[in-house]
Amino acid sequence: MENITIQKQNDFPIPMNTKVRLKTLLFKQSKSEILPESFSELNSIFDYLQENINTLIMIEGHTDRIGDSDKNLILSKQRAEAIKKYLTDKGINGERITTVGYGDKIIICEPECKENRRVEFVITKK
């Protein structure tokens, strides 16, 4: 997947129900603290939501299979919630954003690779 470019409503290139991986979204290792280099991508999502007030999104957190599966599930939920908090702190209504953590349940590459540690978002309503 390529980095996303978010545009105004009529030009938005991502169809509903399509998962978009946030490639520049980074967290402190084993934590839900968002690193500053992630803000540009998150601000693009904020701008889009600000311009398209009827759009709803779901944020999905994922981890790799390294470590305890139960802890990975908790971490993935915390990371998705951290993104929601970032967006709501900037003024987006929290009711427009749902979150889910999958932990290590949906692996996209074997053997373990960093792409398994990801956050994706889905537009659920435009």
Side-chain angles (χ1 to χ4, degrees), residues 19-112:
K19 290 181 192 259
V20 177
R21 188 175 321 146
L22 302 174
K23 289 199 168 221
T24 61
L25 185 59
L26 303 171
F27 297 90
K28 279 194 174 181
Q29 185 173 359
S30 302
K31 305 268 185 229
S32 60
E33 183 180 335
I34 301 169
L35 295 177
E37 50 264 50
S38 306
F39 297 159
S40 176
E41 191 167 40
L42 290 176
N43 289 338
S44 292
I45 295 169
F46 167 78
D47 290 343
Y48 174 76
L49 291 173
Q50 190 82 353
E51 293 171 3
N52 299 276
I53 60 172
N54 294 318
T55 296
L56 306 179
I57 65 170
M58 179 179 356
I59 300 168
E60 302 178 346
H62 301 271
T63 66
D64 57 26
R65 290 191 175 141
I66 296 171
D68 181 77
S69 187
D70 291 335
K71 288 181 182 176
N72 285 340
L73 181 61
I74 292 167
L75 179 61
S76 68
K77 289 177 183 179
Q78 290 172 337
R79 287 181 170 179
E81 283 293 322
I83 296 166
K84 178 177 181 175
K85 182 178 182 335
Y86 180 88
L87 295 169
T88 58
D89 284 353
K90 289 182 67 79
I92 300 299
N93 182 337
E95 293 179 8
R96 297 175 59 199
I97 304 168
T98 57
T99 61
V100 63
Y102 291 109
D104 58 13
K105 305 296 183 233
I106 305 174
I107 297 298
I108 59 174
C109 56
E110 297 282 352
E112 286 306 317

